[in-house]
Amino acid sequence: KQWYQRRVAITAGDIIERQLKKRKRPAEPSVADVKITDHSPPPEVTRGPWELTLLSWNVDGLCERGISERFSAVISEIKTINPHVVMLQEVVTEQVERLRSSLGRSYDLTFGDRSSPYFNALLITRKVGSLKILDKTVKKFPSTIMGRHFVQVVCELHNKKFEFVTSHLESMKDHSKERTSQMDKVLEFITRESTPRISIFGGA
């Protein structure tokens, strides 16, 4: 059996607010630290707890106000926090090359449906030698009218299989039914696999 402890800490908001004092809507990243302790009998030695750090951030790419400065702050915070997994929503085409040039050496980058006005991105660290990417999926919701989709990356780390999924679901009250349906489809996709894995969803 395994024990999981999820600790959420907002660490970047004050920094971004100082950098972008003129913005009325400061960016608000969320950082989740997931501590996982393996209680299965070890073959020879007991391995202590290790930490997997995730960051999920809606970068509001369609808002042109201060977009270059805001995205520079996003990249700066990712470099500072240095999470294992980064889940970004509302990324636009103009930001793809900046992500590749600024973070491509440190992260494996998977982008969502780029035919949409904005899309998701899922970044997996390259700095953990034992982490191996096994599979990637980009799936569009069949009944979306906003181009919504989800991105999945399956990895192996410390002999455990992880599934990371991010999405930006249909927005606004009038589309709440579709939003709920999309979340259900994500859950169906995550639970379809009989192989044991740790599934983590971020975004929405």
Side-chain angles (χ1 to χ4, degrees), residues 102-119:
S102 300
L103 300 172
R105 294 185 65 180
S106 301
Y107 290 92
D108 177 90
L109 283 69
T110 304
F111 295 101
D113 181 8
R114 293 182 58 186
S115 66
S116 301
Y118 50 42
F119 42 89

Side-chain angles (χ1 to χ4, degrees), residues 63-75:
C63 178
E64 297 182 356
R65 186 176 55 208
I67 185 170
S68 180
E69 293 82 1
R70 288 191 289 112
F71 201 64
S72 293
V74 170
I75 291 172

